[in-house]
Amino acid sequence: MHPFTWLALWLWYSVSALFVPLPILVGWCMVPVVMMMMWAAARWRIKIVMAFMIPMGIGLWLVHSHWLQSLFSHSDNVSFAVPMFAIVLWLRLFVFFAAAQLWLQKVPTQQFVAALFSSRLPVGMAYLCAGPLLLKEQLKQQLAAIKEAQSARGVSFDGSLVQRLKTIVPLLSPLLMQSLNDLTTRSSALDARAFRRYPHRTVLKPISEYRWEPFLRVVLLCCLLVEGGAFWLYHSISIG
């Protein structure tokens, strides 16, 4: 499918987590995790999800359980209970992040950048959206080149996490300086190619899609509007 279709599916699934009740939300969280476990190529992303969400859960527990407040105020009524809204917030963030990991695994960066440039978006907006992704790939290539050069000089990148951090952190400064120096080169290249000179552009290799995919994207966006309107109406009636 087209990268924009996968993006619309991720957006619908993540935003819908704001409207479902807690019992359904628990199952809503498990769907991306089960899909990553069943998909062999995406299993390594489960570690990323856990490494991000577990500290966030601990932080929400420390903030909203009032345990720190009870500890510093020397109160005898120490509470370890977490309010329900904090649990719901963590579950919603879990859905957002886990589904995003699935989307990242399914849609490579190069394919999404090609979809941006071959879309009907204005060329300036397409380049604005693709710029951070292009910079990420450029930084990855430059870091690999620097690591190769340092390895040839006898610098070891193996060992414990602390040792690897001591080796990699000094490389960040020349990496950032080289990226800033490339901005002038990139700007000159865009000017030489008459960037934004013409309102329309020719696409050599457009991203193919099925005929029903634009309809599906519209349906998903309409579903979000309907879900949001129904959620707002229900709470307005409940409060009233």
Side-chain angles (χ1 to χ4, degrees):
M1 287 195 300
H2 195 276
F4 288 176
T5 305
W6 290 113
L7 182 63
L9 284 170
W10 167 75
L11 183 64
W12 167 78
Y13 192 84
S14 301
V15 177
S16 296
L18 300 175
F19 310 130
V20 296
L22 180 59
I24 301 178
L25 184 59
V26 176
W28 209 261
C29 290
M30 295 306 298
V31 172
V33 177
V34 172
M35 292 179 66
M36 283 188 284
M37 293 177 63
M38 295 177 62
W39 189 6
R43 287 174 187 168
W44 65 277
R45 292 188 177 272
I46 298 178
K47 297 181 181 179
I48 299 178
V49 175
M50 294 298 112
F52 185 81
M53 294 307 303
I54 290 177
M56 181 181 293
I58 295 174
L60 289 173
W61 171 69
L62 289 175
V63 172
H64 295 288
S65 66
H66 303 292
W67 178 76
L68 289 178
Q69 181 180 357
S70 303
L71 180 64
F72 290 122
S73 62
H74 303 287
S75 176
D76 296 333
N77 298 325
V78 179
S79 176
F80 294 95
V82 181
M84 187 58 63
F85 74 88
I87 298 176
V88 173
L89 175 62
W90 186 83
L91 291 174
R92 288 171 176 170
L93 292 173
F94 189 94
V95 171
F96 179 87
F97 192 74
Q101 291 298 313
L102 275 176
W103 180 79
L104 289 172
Q105 182 66 33
K106 184 62 181 179
V107 181
T109 302
Q110 297 177 354
Q111 186 179 1
F112 186 66
V113 170
L116 284 172
F117 286 125
S118 62
S119 65
R120 298 180 181 178
L121 291 173
V123 62
M125 184 178 298
Y127 188 81
L128 180 64
C129 297
L133 301 176
L134 296 173
L135 182 61
K136 169 182 170 291
E137 294 297 324
Q138 181 182 359
L139 290 176
K140 184 187 297 185
Q141 294 176 2
Q142 292 178 355
L143 182 59
I146 293 175
K147 288 178 64 176
E148 183 179 357
Q150 294 296 323
S151 299
R153 295 173 182 174
V155 179
S156 176
F157 290 90
D158 300 327
S160 63
L161 179 61
V162 178
Q163 292 176 348
R164 283 181 289 177
L165 286 176
K166 289 181 179 179
T167 307
I168 294 176
V169 169
L171 303 180
L172 296 179
S173 178
L175 181 64
L176 293 177
M177 292 300 297
Q178 186 175 355
S179 301
L180 292 176
N181 293 331
D182 289 342
L183 293 178
T184 304
T185 306
R186 184 177 299 181
S187 177
S188 301
L190 291 176
D191 292 337
R193 296 179 181 181
F195 182 69
R196 299 182 65 181
R197 177 65 177 81
Y198 301 100
H200 304 285
R201 59 192 183 276
T202 303
V203 180
L204 297 178
K205 295 181 180 180
I207 303 296
S208 60
E209 63 178 353
Y210 297 102
R211 294 183 178 179
W212 48 266
E213 290 191 46
F215 176 75
L216 176 61
R217 292 195 288 265
V218 173
V219 169
L220 291 174
L221 293 178
C222 291
C223 287
L224 285 180
L225 294 176
V226 172
E227 291 173 6
F231 182 79
W232 174 80
L233 184 61
Y234 173 77
H235 278 270
S236 298
I237 296 175
S238 301
I239 296 175

